[in-house]
Amino acid sequence: MNKASITAARASGILEIREFSENCLEAASYNFRLGDEAISSSQREKLDPSRRGLFTIPAGDFALVKTFEWVKLSPKAAGHIGLRSHYAKKGLDILAGPQIDPGFEGYLVVGLTNLSPRDITIPYKEEFCTVEFYEFPLAVSQPYRGEYYGQPGITGRDLELLVDAQGMTFGEVIKS
């Protein structure tokens, strides 16, 4: 979808984005911003970037971050998540599913890996990832109702997986 199509899809209910900002709407995508939950593999506790005004991902670390925006796709739409080039050029990589499935609703929780030799900081509400949306001529027969449907943010299961991680982070391996 282009900018006009995204606007029309929002007006018709095919796409809903809460906390939508016109400033985040691009020619063919919407930029999602850093929300109020984050965790990294070295810090191993949920942090609130809204309190500190930023979130720092140490060199070599893996992090999960929640988007500021909440999104809902009708059974006639899907989305593809990508990292904004500003952060890719700094050495950040995004580890997300290949798409946001038709019928999904909730906050996006995105995996980020800092592949650079220095810490990368993302300010709270900074545009860090972009989503391209696609509209289908016909609705899918089975809208998404999987594990992440209605996702409120970083879950206890997400925390458990990072806190109980065994071994060293990539950053710790490099330092040793």
Side-chain angles (χ1 to χ4, degrees):
M1 290 183 199
N2 62 22
K3 188 175 193 174
S5 300
I6 292 170
T7 301
R10 289 185 60 237
S12 68
I14 290 171
L15 168 64
E16 181 181 349
I17 301 174
R18 293 184 190 158
E19 302 297 339
F20 179 86
S21 170
E22 286 289 336
N23 295 335
C24 296
L25 187 57
E26 297 287 341
S29 62
Y30 182 85
N31 295 331
F32 281 72
R33 296 170 284 173
L34 178 66
D36 61 1
E37 294 180 6
I39 184 172
S40 78
S41 54
S42 65
Q43 295 162 340
R44 298 183 182 197
E45 64 180 282
K46 195 186 307 188
L47 303 172
D48 182 351
S50 70
R51 288 186 176 185
R52 301 179 64 210
L54 54 85
F55 176 61
T56 300
I57 304 170
D61 248 17
F62 172 74
L64 291 175
V65 299
K66 173 185 159 186
T67 58
F68 181 71
E69 292 85 355
W70 176 96
V71 65
K72 179 179 181 180
L73 300 179
S74 81
K76 288 186 70 174
H80 176 84
I81 305 171
L83 187 66
R84 301 226 30 232
S85 64
H86 169 77
Y87 286 104
K89 290 174 183 174
K90 289 183 174 189
L92 204 59
D93 194 13
I94 191 167
L95 302 171
Q99 74 176 21
I100 305 167
D101 290 322
F104 173 85
E105 68 176 72
Y107 288 95
L108 302 178
V109 174
V110 180
L112 300 171
T113 300
N114 181 352
L115 300 174
S116 80
R118 59 182 74 83
D119 295 352
I120 296 175
T121 298
I122 306 173
Y124 174 61
K125 291 189 184 178
E126 174 80 6
E127 300 169 29
F128 75 96
C129 72
T130 191
V131 177
E132 299 168 332
F133 295 102
Y134 304 92
E135 185 177 352
F136 309 123
L138 300 172
V140 297
S141 59
Q142 292 183 317
Y144 180 79
R145 293 296 183 268
E147 176 182 358
Y148 304 110
Y149 181 80
Q151 185 165 250
I154 297 173
T155 65
R157 176 80 172 131
D158 296 328
L159 294 170
E160 181 182 308
L161 290 171
L162 277 178
V163 171
D164 292 343
Q166 297 177 7
M168 295 187 285
T169 67
F170 181 61
E172 292 167 336
V173 169
I174 291 172
K175 289 174 187 171
S176 71

